[in-house]
Amino acid sequence: MQFYHHPLSMNSQKVRLALEEKNIDYTAFRVNPLKARNLDAEFFRQNPNGTLPMLKIGAHVLCESLPILQHIDKLNEPLGEYKDYRERAEEWIKKIDEWDAKPFTLTHVPDRMIRFFGKFKRRVLIARMAKNPDLANKYHSKLNSMHAMEEQLKDTQAVDSNRKELVLMLDDAEHQLAGTEFMAGDVFSVADAAFIPVLARIELLKLSEEYLRPRPKLLDYWERMKCRPSYKKVIGGYSSQLKQLKLVVPSICNVGIRNVLKRF
């Protein structure tokens, strides 16, 4: 089992948490989207959306976090002891998947950083189209999706709607956690693996006071989840500002040099 991911990718974190909680053996390969490595032809041929994570099991490839989580949960015994827990967990992972974290994240990232990486990725896409004509249509679709996201970030109503969707999900979680220890019941399930990265992203963006502090059950849950070995291995090791800088700064330098040398 080969798992392609990046430590700061929320969807990658969801899958890695599930893999760690189930003690499933896998070989991890880091793909850095900041350096546009997800657009390299070898990766893109297997995953034309250029998204992370990607799971390969022999010749079988899964490219979206939701089907990957569903597949992993079917391996051996599913996370969560009882059938009703698993049904509730399925409802939660679908609800979490429906919320697009990217607009929420990017609205809290400096504009100059978005422009810096966005301009570089467009140049990479154009260069890849020229070098790989058989992938030109798929690269062009990726270029269109990048443009659509840029337009969405300019749409204040769309950004506010995305934020309200998150608030409703957090309110639902607060209500759920008033009656259970975990997201789908009294044991850890795939729903927790999917939800923990959402809370981690909120904390990473320094928005805990706004989104977590007013919800005491959710805040208590979050503190408990951060004590789990899976969290410490998958997310906790990159939670400090220094560790994040060690991930991001080399990418900025790499992109800057490639821009100067026009190596795309």
Side-chain angles (χ1 to χ4, degrees), residues 9-10 12 42 47 52 117 214 243:
S9 158
M10 270 186 61
S12 295
E42 183 180 353
N47 181 1
L52 294 173
F117 283 110
K243 293 289 180 64

Side-chain angles (χ1 to χ4, degrees), residues 116-144:
F116 175 73
F117 283 110
K119 183 178 180 180
F120 170 72
K121 289 180 180 179
R122 282 193 291 273
R123 288 176 170 177
V124 169
L125 280 165
I126 292 169
R128 295 290 184 275
M129 277 191 268
K131 291 179 181 178
N132 303 277
D134 60 312
L135 293 174
N137 288 337
K138 293 175 181 177
Y139 276 126
H140 194 266
S141 295
K142 183 67 175 179
L143 198 60
N144 286 339

Side-chain angles (χ1 to χ4, degrees), residues 66-209:
L66 180 59
I68 294 175
L69 281 172
Q70 291 169 327
H71 176 80
I72 289 171
D73 204 36
K74 292 175 183 176
L75 298 177
N76 305 322
E77 289 297 318
L79 292 169
E81 294 177 350
Y82 307 112
K83 182 180 178 182
D84 58 336
Y85 286 3
R86 295 197 295 274
E87 290 175 350
R88 197 179 302 154
E90 181 73 11
E91 292 173 4
W92 267 110
I93 62 173
K94 288 179 178 177
K95 179 185 293 188
I96 294 165
D97 185 71
E98 287 170 359
W99 177 65
D100 187 355
K102 194 168 186 179
F104 178 76
T105 299
L106 292 178
T107 53
H108 295 91
V109 173
D111 287 341
R112 64 183 181 277
M113 192 67 70
I114 295 174
R115 290 195 300 270
F116 175 73
F117 283 110
K119 183 178 180 180
F120 170 72
K121 289 180 180 179
R122 282 193 291 273
R123 288 176 170 177
V124 169
L125 280 165
I126 292 169
R128 295 290 184 275
M129 277 191 268
K131 291 179 181 178
N132 303 277
D134 60 312
L135 293 174
N137 288 337
K138 293 175 181 177
Y139 276 126
H140 194 266
S141 295
K142 183 67 175 179
L143 198 60
N144 286 339
S145 69
M146 287 178 58
H147 179 70
M149 177 56 65
E150 290 169 358
E151 291 301 309
Q152 184 178 345
L153 294 176
K154 297 175 186 176
D155 186 338
T156 55
Q157 287 187 336
V159 169
D160 188 54
S161 176
N162 178 268
R163 185 193 66 81
K164 288 178 179 177
E165 190 178 345
L166 171 63
V167 169
L168 287 174
M169 182 165 64
L170 296 178
D171 286 342
D172 287 346
E174 177 74 4
H175 178 74
Q176 173 68 50
L177 293 166
T180 58
E181 277 193 68
F182 297 91
M183 290 297 292
D186 293 323
V187 293
F188 191 99
S189 74
V190 69
D192 301 288
F195 191 56
I196 288 170
V198 175
L199 305 183
R201 181 55 50 92
I202 290 171
E203 186 168 89
L204 173 67
L205 297 173
K206 303 186 186 307
L207 296 170
S208 297
E209 286 297 319

